[in-house]
Amino acid sequence: MCGIVGFIGKRACTDVLIDALKRLEYRGYDSAGIAIFEDDKIKTVKAKGKIKEGLVEKLKSEPIFTAVCGIGHTRWATHGEPSDVNSHPIGNGRVSIVHNGIIENYREIKSFLIGKGYGFESETDTETVAKLLDYYYEGDPIEAIEKAVGVIQGAYALGIIFREHKNKIFAVRKDSPLIVGKGKGESFIASDITAIIEYTREYYCLERGEIATLDENGIHFTDLHGEAIEKELFTADWDVESAQKGGYEHFMLKEIHEQPDAVRNTISPRIKDGLPDFGECGLTAEKLRAYKHIFIVGCGSAMHSGMVGKYLIEDLARTPVIVDIASEFRYRNPLVSDGDLVVIVSQSGETADTLEALKLSKAKGADTLAVVNVVGSSIAREADMVIYTNAGPEISVCSTKAYAVQVAFMYLLAFEVAYARGRIDEARCKELVNGLTEVPEKIQECLNDLSIYQYVASKIFNADSLLYIGRGLDNALSMEGSLKLKEISYIHSESYAAGELKHGTISLIEDGTPVIAVMTQSSLFEKMLSNVRTVKSRGAKVVAICRAAENLDADCADYKVGLPEADDLFLPLISTVAMQLIAYYTAVQRGCDVDKPRNLAKSVTVE
Ligand code: F6R
């Protein structure tokens, strides 16, 4: 996830900017840079790689001694590979910016500006904003910013400097975080308080529609029309580690809360004119029409996202999909060949079994598509095509947001395969894509009140063993819910297709055994009710995860976790959040080390 810093004061700004950027390293990045006012110019130094080996080394050959004001950035690549030229700050000598977020309509802005004679050097969406600001700038920065934010769509936090306004920083944001720090005779901007906590604990939260101007006289806030506004000053009483967790008790909880943005960041760059578009990686409609078979391969949660993909692609595109666990796939001489597509899913991009499965698929002549979160990782480099999931770094060992974005991608892939193969028409495809874009808001609704998850956790945390049951898409999603719970709370848990219980597993049910029944699919609801009654009559304590509007009799569920209203197709993805939070609070109540569960590693680079 990109990190932004900015400083204006009386001391040398380079040291402060580098120090603040280093404090944002935990967010993950692949390049870093700064832009400062030197004499009457903006001087920019930026480099691919780690701050210490890249930017700091470069600065040794281009030292900056006198500057007191500048902006800095750590970039987590989304549009364009990690490289010096794609690094931020980005600008043209007159204006320079640092950006966190994704500009959804950058293609249109780019063509508009090319028509006005602008050239582009980088592959980034950010460059379009820098040039748009330049286009609108006629001497008044606030006016230029006001006009530019009227045009750009998507999520952004921006730090901006104009050559003609020496030692001034402007900041504006929508949906991506940005704070403004107030020090003694100096001011800061930063993605979060971690970056500047060594210098000040006092900060303002910049809101949508507000512009901050920082100069030698202090900090000034205006609305987009230049009218002055008063803002509340906050004081952070966190230590650095808590600051990195953004005030959440654990990284897992923070990452669960980041899911609305993460899902937006995954899907929005892949939607063009309301339809899926994977042109960035070369996965064209022609190719999708021609593939003989589709395989999805991964481990753990990544493989579970593939299970959802299978249900979706088979249902919408009527195309068979084979999902495999990477460690099995590589040793069972799979029936993969020339003309097949193998989708390799991995958060880290380094999982040894998954990497070997990718190599095997390539050796057998298949086309490979990597769906990975970590830019430049081994799997990303090895695959024929890459989709980056843009979830930002996942620090908790237990995967939450990385899984949610893999699933979100599976939806888009299913829509595109169905459309390419003529199973749905353009109008239906647009309708489906539009439905997916509404999912982040619904996920947010699930996050607004956490009390039900805490309550359910208090009812199950003493269990020795429990079951997750579901049908259809709910079955696919429950596999992940069950893995979350066992992984961090150490309660034995199994996920079972509800209709299959009676063929053996139901013998595990005894008085008080918790059963978490996921029941989001209207067409399967009655069937699920029978399954639930069957386990309940054998003593199970049932937690039903279903629409909030559903009326459940007492003979059916003991506890209900209500979900917001949404189409059957999307509700399972939304229900993931409920399952993650039940697992989280259960582990917390058992006193487990949530972010670092025993015996597990974040990146499994051994067989
Ligand atoms: C579970 C979890 C693991 C990973 C698996 C694959 O919470 O994180 O099951 O999903 O180890 O890792 P990646 O996606 O990095 O290949």
Side-chain angles (χ1 to χ4, degrees), residues 366-377:
D367 263 11
T368 52
L369 167 70
V371 179
V372 294
N373 198 37
V374 178
V375 174
S377 53

Side-chain angles (χ1 to χ4, degrees), residues 299-302 345-351 354 379 394 397-400 406 480 483-484 487 601-604:
C299 300
S301 302
V345 189
S346 175
Q347 187 285 131
S348 61
E350 301 295 347
T351 304
T354 314
I379 290 174
E394 195 175 59
V397 166
C398 172
S399 188
T400 53
Q406 287 161 357
E480 178 63 4
L483 178 64
K484 290 303 84 161
E487 172 177 12
K602 185 68 187 158
S603 185
V604 188

Side-chain angles (χ1 to χ4, degrees), residues 228-240:
I229 42 179
E230 290 294 316
K231 288 192 63 71
E232 187 183 351
L233 187 64
F234 294 92
T235 305
D237 52 6
W238 301 330
D239 57 27
V240 172

Side-chain angles (χ1 to χ4, degrees), residues 100-343:
N100 176 6
I102 286 183
I103 305 302
E104 288 166 9
N105 59 339
Y106 79 99
R107 290 190 187 92
E108 292 100 274
I109 299 173
K110 196 167 179 174
S111 4
F112 168 77
L113 290 170
I114 288 172
K116 297 287 174 196
Y118 280 88
F120 285 82
E121 286 157 18
S122 76
E123 301 155 86
T124 63
D125 51 341
T126 304
E127 190 175 359
T128 62
V129 182
K131 303 267 159 91
L132 191 67
L133 281 161
D134 182 77
Y135 173 73
Y136 286 129
Y137 178 69
E138 287 172 349
D140 181 350
I142 301 285
E143 200 180 292
I145 294 169
E146 182 198 335
K147 287 184 177 157
V149 300
V151 172
I152 58 180
Q153 288 166 12
Y156 53 84
L158 296 166
I160 309 163
I161 55 177
F162 292 85
R163 188 184 61 210
E164 290 172 9
H165 296 264
K166 189 171 176 181
N167 294 346
K168 269 192 188 185
I169 300 172
F170 300 89
V172 65
R173 69 170 279 261
K174 177 182 160 267
D175 295 338
S176 296
L178 198 76
I179 56 149
V180 181
K182 180 175 182 285
K184 290 200 173 63
E186 51 192 27
S187 310
F188 307 81
I189 58 168
S191 293
D192 64 51
I193 189 74
T194 333
I196 56 171
I197 208 156
E198 286 300 311
Y199 304 102
T200 181
R201 288 178 173 269
E202 298 205 307
Y203 67 98
Y204 300 95
C205 294
L206 194 65
E207 302 297 342
R208 183 178 179 170
E210 297 174 349
I211 300 174
T213 306
L214 290 69
D215 61 21
E216 58 189 14
N217 300 317
I219 306 162
H220 184 59
F221 293 99
T222 47
D223 66 16
L224 290 180
H225 308 291
E227 294 290 320
I229 42 179
E230 290 294 316
K231 288 192 63 71
E232 187 183 351
L233 187 64
F234 294 92
T235 305
D237 52 6
W238 301 330
D239 57 27
V240 172
E241 200 193 316
S242 324
Q244 288 183 345
K245 290 181 191 153
Y248 292 101
E249 205 179 329
H250 297 101
F251 280 111
M252 181 179 172
L253 191 58
K254 176 173 183 256
E255 287 158 7
I256 289 174
H257 279 80
E258 285 170 350
Q259 290 180 118
D261 277 348
V263 170
R264 271 187 210 106
N265 288 347
T266 301
I267 60 175
S268 67
R270 280 90 201 206
I271 299 173
K272 194 177 169 194
D273 303 327
L275 291 167
D277 177 17
F278 301 127
E280 66 178 290
C281 70
L283 185 62
T284 58
E286 292 71 42
K287 282 188 180 177
L288 285 172
R289 260 192 295 280
Y291 289 129
K292 288 188 284 206
H293 304 105
I294 299 177
F295 291 78
I296 307 179
V297 182
C299 300
S301 302
M303 186 277 290
H304 287 161
S305 77
M307 288 304 298
V308 184
K310 174 183 171 71
Y311 274 76
L312 292 168
I313 297 170
E314 291 189 346
D315 181 26
L316 292 166
R318 313 308 301 153
T319 300
V321 175
I322 302 107
V323 179
D324 218 331
I325 298 167
S327 55
E328 287 296 311
F329 182 85
R330 60 184 284 203
Y331 289 120
R332 69 172 176 84
N333 195 11
L335 284 167
V336 179
S337 65
D338 196 12
D340 293 342
L341 172 68
V342 181
V343 182

Side-chain angles (χ1 to χ4, degrees), residues 581-600:
L581 285 163
I582 291 172
Y584 172 77
Y585 285 113
T586 304
V588 168
Q589 291 188 34
R590 287 168 70 92
C592 300
D593 187 352
V594 176
D595 283 333
K596 294 195 192 82
R598 67 185 180 206
N599 309 337
L600 289 171

